[in-house]
Amino acid sequence: MSAPPKIFQQIEKLRDEIRKHDFQYYVLNEPLISDYEYDRRYRQLADLESRYPQLVTPDSPTQRVGGEPTKEFPTVTHSSPMLSLSNTYSEGEMREFNRRVRTILGEDPYEYVCELKLDGVAVNLKYEGGLFVQGATRGDGVMGDDITPNLKTIRSIPLRLFTEETALLNIEARGEVFMNKLDFEALNAEQKKRGEKLFANPRNATAGTLKQQDPRVVASRPLRIYLYYLSYSSEEEQFHYDDLKTLGKLGLPVNQNFRLCGNIDEVIEFCREWEPRRDDLPYEIDGVVVKINSIPQHQVLGSTAKSPRWAMAYKFKAREAETILKGISLQVGRTGAVTPVAELEPVRLAGSTIHRATLHNEEEIARKDFRVGDTVVLKKGGDVIPKVSEVVLKKRLPGTVPFQMPKTCPVCGGPLIKPEGEIISRCENLSCPAQVQRRIEHFASRGAMDIEGLGTAIVEQLIENNLIRDFSDPYFLEADDLIPLERMAEKSADNLIRAIEKSKERPFEKVLFALGIRFVGATVARVIARHFGSMDRLKSATCEELEAVYEIGPRIARSVVEFFQNEVNLKVIERLAKAGVRMAAEDEEIPAPKGIFAGKTFVLTGRLAGFTREEASEIIHNEGGQVISSVSKKTDFVLAGEEPGSKYKKAKKLGVKIIDEEEFENLIMTNKMRE
Ligand code: IVH
């Protein structure tokens, strides 16, 4: 059906209105109309567009959530590298930074702009002809992921800029995507209700959301954005301060807490002012970003490989609170390691209430002289885990005594052993209920067999009721066994049985990880699974055979061999096999490796100048290759650095292709350019 011009006008009018109200609501936080009125316009527009699909344009407000889920994000090369910032925690270093600027700029006068350092995820937005055409993550600074469909769902990002000015139609803006603290808490509550994974903090929630492959999921999450950097081609002399204003005029959200400062004293004043105010803000900030105002001076000051010399981040100190150490309890892990835990008088710190915190080991407690009854300082740094940092000695009460590690396990009463030279005490009783419990929890955890519903509380009940003793037992449970348990309805019993059944499909590498062999984390488990291919082959592997695998050292090798020497372990594995849990990788579909080194094997020898060995291996892995430890005819490349060893000679003899560091770099670079 061809559309009458009247319809076209009506559609455009509705779009303009909706754009304006989006801006009022999402950017200015000042809605002019009710949700009802807004929805009415939106529905009217969606209705007209469905009747006249030929009139749908990519910048229509209805087009925010679209497209099919992507398997992988395309890679984009940034038009200029997305640098990070040098950090400092001290005013002294801020003054030092100012002196360096002064030295380089000489007599030229200069000013600073101070902004809040938002704690989120950096992105780059690209507009062409005024339309939002691409949004990307920072990635490694040079290349990032194209996450345009995900960013389009953020309602404060205009799909079309509010300008007709030619110079401003083609721009790039950089900024931070983040989540408000309250929105984050609501999201986590929702996640919990659905039995989904909880996010550690708003930044992780944001990062996790932007990585989602389905834009519909992203649209359902409360993401926001503030832009803090504009690049566009203009001949005129420019100031960063004006750029911030311009971003705002274009309809892009800009955090309004920025200030022009004439000198470093004013900068420091800004930092001092905001540090105590951070908790009053609805979003997380972790410092202040200080930038030279004049853009031409940015050019004069230049950048190092990682960060510009015209900017500096002043990071706030970790947040802290004082509380009372009420007791020190002991936690027994799945390998029997005993960790002392601080039982604290509950205290609010950076948005959550802290009851407990690890004290790591008895040496740490002795060094810091933590005693039950002490007033201690609790700190929460950039990460989420609170740390008991020190005791407030002047508040120590008389009668406190130094902590003494008990000689017996608090759970099973068995002896605690601390081998010479080690700092961790262990309960060596493999059937210690705490260990059994932890081992089963680990077995069922998301990264291992991923058995939904088999969490701490249920495992505890099952053990108490003698229904399970090791992690093979869940496979022989029936719904009727479960129903009599407390808080277990028929439906949840069925669900659990189904989840256990489903875990039999987990790949061999996850099964291996789930066994909880000491030092065999998820990555090592994958390496071993790929290399040995089956439980039978692994069972009979010797230390030498294991150590021949590139990533495996003697410590891991010994641990694996010892694990398979233990009769009890072998019995459990036998039962797992009988239940139908995967015991080999052979019949699995392992996704074909991708990248320039897909399917290729490398041996490294000699000293590399530009990379550590770990870095080189990581690049090879990321490009789909494998690093092995010894050269054979089947080896594809030997990467030889300075003073290569016997592997080099062997490669020569066997005619294996030898490349030096430069050739290696060239291979990577040419590939990147092709992209
Ligand atoms: S400017 C070349 N301004 O901090 C300068 N960055 O450690 C680029 N950040 O990757 C950064 N708030 O993700 C700038 N007002 C702000 C910022 C900010 C947060 C983040 C950004 C950057 C990181 C640097």
Side-chain angles (χ1 to χ4, degrees), residues 81-87 114-123 138 174-176 226-229 240 244 255 286-291 303 306-308 310-311 313 315:
M82 284 181 79
L83 300 174
S84 62
L85 295 172
S86 316
N87 282 336
C114 287
E115 294 162 30
L116 302 184
K117 187 170 186 313
L118 305 152
D119 197 7
V121 176
V123 295
R138 179 171 178 275
R174 290 183 180 169
E176 202 85 348
Y226 278 133
L227 284 307
Y228 47 63
Y229 188 79
H240 178 67
L244 291 177
N255 187 291
D286 58 350
V288 166
V289 181
V290 183
K291 300 172 186 171
S303 305
K306 289 205 192 100
S307 46
W310 47 264
K315 298 262 268 189

Side-chain angles (χ1 to χ4, degrees), residues 176-289:
E176 202 85 348
V177 177
F178 64 96
M179 223 177 252
N180 272 355
K181 297 177 208 171
L182 287 178
D183 288 340
F184 157 75
E185 270 165 37
L187 170 63
N188 252 358
E190 188 66 24
Q191 291 281 103
K192 189 166 173 187
K193 216 164 70 194
R194 278 192 260 125
E196 306 254 347
K197 162 178 141 222
L198 296 192
F199 297 105
N201 54 33
R203 175 170 22 87
N204 287 0
T206 304
T209 300
L210 287 179
K211 273 197 212 122
Q212 291 290 324
Q213 256 118 28
D214 186 349
R216 276 167 299 196
V217 176
V218 185
S220 74
R221 305 262 178 92
L223 295 181
R224 293 164 193 262
I225 190 169
Y226 278 133
L227 284 307
Y228 47 63
Y229 188 79
L230 171 65
S231 89
Y232 69 111
S233 45
S234 152
E235 298 298 309
E236 293 158 51
E237 191 173 6
Q238 303 163 50
F239 291 100
H240 178 67
Y241 190 82
D242 297 337
D243 285 348
L244 291 177
K245 300 268 178 204
T246 305
L247 284 168
K249 287 204 194 99
L250 293 175
L252 289 157
V254 174
N255 187 291
Q256 291 305 307
N257 301 308
F258 63 91
R259 185 187 297 165
L260 194 59
C261 293
N263 55 47
I264 196 71
D265 288 322
E266 286 177 38
V267 167
I268 288 172
E269 200 180 298
F270 183 91
C271 298
R272 282 192 193 160
E273 214 174 287
W274 275 101
E275 182 142 12
R277 284 177 70 187
R278 65 190 295 199
D279 290 324
D280 304 335
L281 292 168
Y283 42 84
E284 290 282 1
I285 60 170
D286 58 350
V288 166
V289 181

Side-chain angles (χ1 to χ4, degrees), residues 457-467 477 479-489 492-493 496:
I458 296 286
V459 173
E460 209 170 277
Q461 276 195 66
L462 291 172
I463 294 178
E464 257 169 37
N465 288 279
N466 280 328
L467 287 166
L477 289 173
D480 288 345
D481 298 326
L482 302 176
I483 294 165
L485 297 180
E486 234 175 278
R487 292 188 306 272
M488 181 67 83
S492 37
L496 182 54

